[in-house]
Amino acid sequence: MSFLPDPAELEAIADRIGRHAAAARARAAHLGSAVAGADWHGLAADSFHLEAHVALSALRSAAGRLDDAADALRRHAHKVGALFDDLRDFGLDGVQTLEDAVLHPDRLVEDGKRLLSDGKDLVGDALDLVGL
């Protein structure tokens, strides 16, 4: 079991959050149309329109925050995916280095450079993932 979540699962959750944002915007549009079509005047109508405006603003704001959350989750999924790619590359390069140590010792210097580069990338992505 990995301590990092599956990037595809994170993307799916972000898509679900995005659909909730779209639904909130659709509800706001529907409510806005209904309020605009109300032919009602007077003090009670003014109070109603004010409350409807507050509800519309809250729905639109919530939709924006949901979009922000979905975008942040997508960015995180991308970072996790990049870290997985680096781990896989690092592992493959490590196997190649062991093979070269046995069969092709003349390749070890280049393998060492590649491993150091991969290790640096791996550490950089890990630090980026945790926000450092």
Side-chain angles (χ1 to χ4, degrees), residues 19-75:
R19 287 192 298 275
H20 285 292
R25 265 191 294 286
R27 287 184 187 104
H30 181 67
L31 178 59
S33 294
V35 169
D39 188 25
W40 184 22
H41 303 285
L43 186 58
D46 292 343
S47 293
F48 171 78
H49 280 76
L50 180 63
E51 289 300 317
H53 177 71
V54 169
L56 287 169
S57 294
L59 278 171
R60 291 181 182 126
S61 177
R65 289 192 311 272
L66 286 167
D67 282 332
D68 291 344
D71 290 343
L73 192 53
R74 285 186 186 97
R75 285 190 306 274

Side-chain angles (χ1 to χ4, degrees), residues 105-120:
D106 55 309
R107 297 182 191 168
L108 285 177
V109 172
E110 286 304 313
D111 288 348
K113 288 179 187 175
R114 190 173 58 246
L115 276 175
L116 283 174
S117 176
D118 289 348
K120 180 179 77 71

